[in-house]
Amino acid sequence: MVAIVSLLDAESTDRMNSLIHRLEREFGLKEVQTTPYPHLTWLTVNDGSLQNLKQTLGHAAGICCKFRINTTGLGVFPGPKPVLYIPVIRTQGVNRFHGQLHEAVASFCQEIGKHYHPSIWMPHLSLALGDTSPEVVSQALLYLNQENFDWHIELDNLALLTKRQDKFLKDGEFPLVGVEEEAAFKLSTKY
């Protein structure tokens, strides 16, 4: 599996890592650290050449500007091993960027993770996953209940994360150019 993500800025990374380490200390939750960089996942893919992905992300980064995301509250993806996360608000700009990235990658990757389709994608910042249980996540929610999760984060990159042994590590980072603006951009697979 390959993940297409945006890594968080230094301040937001420190804030996320502080929460993640507190959850490890208080509840033993540490599997989220198999990806050592706090990030927003745009897509995951199970096929397609890494070179095509790098070319598409390099092109996207060259025509897209840095932009801001906003978060609020806490969320849980339920199940036997629930995911505890901070929701990212889906704005028009976030939706447009995600949709165009999805379309560009889908032109050569047939196996995009089903949870990343534009109609159902839930952008988020993961706090705990994999080594969770419903009981532990409910305790963690109570523990984090007094925190403020209304954050403003500037995204200035796209990155590829690939699995190497037991970690997901960077396999390319592409800086976004310019500053946020309302102008639309269009990813094209013909460049």
Side-chain angles (χ1 to χ4, degrees), residues 124-173:
H124 64 280
L125 308 176
S126 296
L127 291 170
L129 54 80
D131 57 354
T132 61
S133 69
E135 296 76 23
V136 170
V137 167
S138 65
Q139 292 170 10
L141 279 168
L142 289 172
Y143 176 74
L144 295 174
N145 191 47
Q146 299 303 311
E147 301 282 336
N148 179 349
F149 296 100
D150 295 334
W151 300 349
H152 308 286
I153 302 169
E154 182 176 273
L155 299 180
D156 65 1
N157 67 83
L158 288 172
L160 286 174
L161 302 179
T162 57
K163 191 164 188 173
R164 293 191 218 140
Q165 297 171 355
D166 63 341
K167 299 267 187 201
F168 282 91
L169 301 175
K170 282 190 273 187
D171 198 350
E173 186 172 348

Side-chain angles (χ1 to χ4, degrees), residues 58-166:
H59 178 68
I63 62 172
C64 183
C65 58
K66 301 173 188 178
F67 61 97
R68 187 173 293 267
I69 59 169
N70 300 303
T71 66
T72 190
L74 289 168
V76 175
F77 295 127
K81 294 183 177 191
V83 176
L84 177 61
Y85 65 89
I86 301 169
V88 172
I89 298 169
R90 286 185 66 161
T91 63
Q92 183 179 6
V94 167
N95 286 339
R96 181 176 54 241
F97 182 76
H98 177 259
Q100 291 179 6
L101 188 59
H102 187 278
E103 181 181 337
V105 171
S107 71
F108 60 89
C109 288
Q110 301 305 309
E111 295 183 32
I112 295 177
K114 66 180 181 178
H115 299 295
Y116 296 93
H117 189 276
S119 65
I120 62 169
W121 176 59
M122 295 284 293
H124 64 280
L125 308 176
S126 296
L127 291 170
L129 54 80
D131 57 354
T132 61
S133 69
E135 296 76 23
V136 170
V137 167
S138 65
Q139 292 170 10
L141 279 168
L142 289 172
Y143 176 74
L144 295 174
N145 191 47
Q146 299 303 311
E147 301 282 336
N148 179 349
F149 296 100
D150 295 334
W151 300 349
H152 308 286
I153 302 169
E154 182 176 273
L155 299 180
D156 65 1
N157 67 83
L158 288 172
L160 286 174
L161 302 179
T162 57
K163 191 164 188 173
R164 293 191 218 140
Q165 297 171 355
D166 63 341

